[in-house]
Amino acid sequence: MTDKKTTGVVGAVVAITLMLAGCLIGLPLFLMGGAASASPCGPVPVSVPSPGGKGTTKWDESQVANAAIIVAVGQEMKVPARGLVIALATAMQESTLNNINYGDRDSVGLFQQRPSQGWGTVAQLTDPRYAAGKFYSSLLKVDGWEDMRLTDAAQAVQNSGTPEAYQKWEKDANALAATILKVGSIDELGGGAPGAPCGPGAFEPVPVGPGGWVQPVRAGVVAPWGQDRGDHRHAGVDLGAGKKTPIRAAAAGVVSTSKCNAPEWHGCDTDGYPGLGGCGWYVDVRHAGNIATRYCHMIQQPFVRVGQKVAAGEVLGLSGSSGNSSGPHLHYEVHRGVAPGRSLTFGNSVDPVAFMAGVGAPLGG
């Protein structure tokens, strides 16, 4: 492969910076010091590590930035961790992680994809996000790719004249993927050799507020507590969190409810709509002092189970629009004077805005 300087370095760095800034939207101001856990094989924060550290000794700043884009696109597409490793190894072989505008015949970009073979235009294929997306789309169509040797899976997509060449990059790709995802080993996420267990992901640990409370999401109030909804009063506030924002336990406690609340014929795995009824996927947490909090409209089954102890700031699930919902947001409730076994109702709810301000973790974007 060539060692000529990459093109589009600034574009790659800007793109990954913007992407990572977007990933940070919705994280609370007051977060807990202990690590919080995500769902098995769930999304994991992507970082742009400095060259020269663990997993990055062979790569310069632009190459690491390109690798982070490849990993981030895979995360967005919900590609299993093994696929992230295959993609990195492929780009290592094809372009040494350089976004080049030349190659064999009309090949260009990180994956040396060819416009003449229907991969896209030159402009598209020299956009790292587009190129990575095209690679993953093709990989996911390969039957049994997760159980193949890395080089066989890559070759099934690339149709290279040197089909064994990708295998030599597996160790480097494993190390770089783990560094970008901030895990000790890619095996923790099921990204290593076929058959590796799928371990838990991890959201960033975050400091707790002075009163032991944390914003469940960092987002503005879009509907207030007590609002007249015709057939009921609004027992919480709606916080305008985007889809898949991590929802965190507002304080330490024990999970008392973790389930779907929507008509059985609709369920919670499909977005709801106004008038459907129900909280969607939701979690209740009981805290000290007979205080309880509720978190509604998650996009998928919560990460926590009934009876589980959670820390302030621990991720309970991801925001969505399940149940009686007009769009992605978090419906958040606070209840006082609720002894064990007592139901959460509007009558024992309090205004979360005033309550959270009083405990040192004010709501807001």
Side-chain angles (χ1 to χ4, degrees):
M1 303 303 295
T2 179
D3 289 325
K4 294 183 179 179
K5 288 183 75 69
T6 180
T7 62
V9 171
V10 174
V13 174
V14 170
I16 192 64
T17 300
L18 290 174
M19 183 190 323
L20 295 174
C23 291
L24 294 175
I25 293 173
L27 293 180
L29 281 172
F30 306 104
L31 306 164
M32 174 121 184
S37 54
S39 65
C41 298
V44 179
V46 174
S47 66
V48 185
S50 300
K54 181 181 178 181
T56 64
T57 54
K58 294 185 177 181
W59 318 109
D60 64 23
E61 183 176 358
S62 66
Q63 290 169 311
V64 172
N66 286 331
I69 292 173
I70 292 170
V71 171
V73 171
Q75 290 272 282
E76 291 170 9
M77 295 176 66
K78 299 182 180 179
V79 176
R82 177 65 173 168
L84 310 182
V85 172
I86 293 169
L88 286 178
T90 301
M92 289 173 178
Q93 170 60 25
E94 295 289 0
S95 66
T96 57
L97 293 174
N98 286 311
N99 188 27
I100 52 181
N101 61 3
Y102 56 86
D104 180 49
R105 287 172 281 190
D106 60 339
S107 300
V108 293
L110 290 170
F111 295 89
Q112 289 291 280
Q113 294 149 327
R114 299 179 59 191
S116 64
Q117 300 300 307
W119 286 94
T121 66
V122 171
Q124 288 172 325
L125 297 177
T126 49
D127 174 349
R129 287 182 58 83
Y130 178 91
K134 293 293 286 186
F135 177 85
Y136 287 125
S137 294
S138 295
L139 177 66
L140 294 175
K141 294 176 183 176
V142 176
D143 187 36
W145 66 269
E146 289 180 87
D147 296 321
M148 294 179 178
R149 292 191 308 149
L150 183 148
T151 200
D152 294 334
Q155 174 64 4
V157 175
Q158 298 295 101
N159 194 26
S160 169
T162 55
E164 287 294 318
Y166 306 101
Q167 194 65 36
K168 67 177 178 285
W169 296 105
E170 185 166 23
K171 183 177 180 180
D172 292 327
N174 281 339
L176 185 52
T179 299
I180 291 170
L181 294 172
K182 294 184 177 181
V183 294
S185 166
I186 198 64
D187 286 337
E188 296 176 27
L189 304 173
C198 182
F203 290 99
E204 288 292 322
V206 288
V208 71
W213 287 75
V214 177
Q215 288 181 316
V217 294
R218 186 180 179 187
V221 176
V222 295
W225 172 80
Q227 187 178 56
D228 187 352
R229 297 290 179 91
D231 60 343
H232 70 282
R233 300 283 295 280
H234 200 215
V237 293
D238 289 344
L239 301 171
K243 185 176 287 189
K244 295 187 178 181
T245 298
I247 298 169
R248 299 177 184 267
V254 179
V255 176
S256 59
T257 307
S258 178
K259 67 179 184 179
C260 170
N261 175 232
E264 186 175 351
W265 56 266
H266 186 276
C268 292
D269 291 327
T270 302
D271 283 355
Y273 53 85
L276 176 66
C279 216
W281 285 117
Y282 80 104
V283 169
D284 291 343
V285 179
R286 302 282 178 147
H287 310 283
N290 287 336
I291 297 172
T293 52
R294 173 169 287 175
Y295 314 79
C296 297
H297 308 304
M298 295 182 186
I299 194 171
Q300 63 192 52
Q301 185 171 356
F303 299 160
V304 293
R305 66 188 184 279
V306 172
Q308 179 177 336
K309 293 181 180 180
V310 293
E314 184 163 349
V315 177
L316 305 174
L318 303 175
S319 61
S321 190
S322 58
N324 191 61
S325 173
S326 60
H329 71 286
L330 169 64
H331 172 87
Y332 174 60
E333 300 179 10
V334 178
H335 298 258
R336 305 197 74 162
V338 284
R342 187 178 177 190
S343 297
L344 308 189
T345 67
F346 178 78
N348 53 44
S349 70
V350 297
D351 184 355
V353 172
F355 178 87
M356 295 298 286
V359 296
L363 299 176

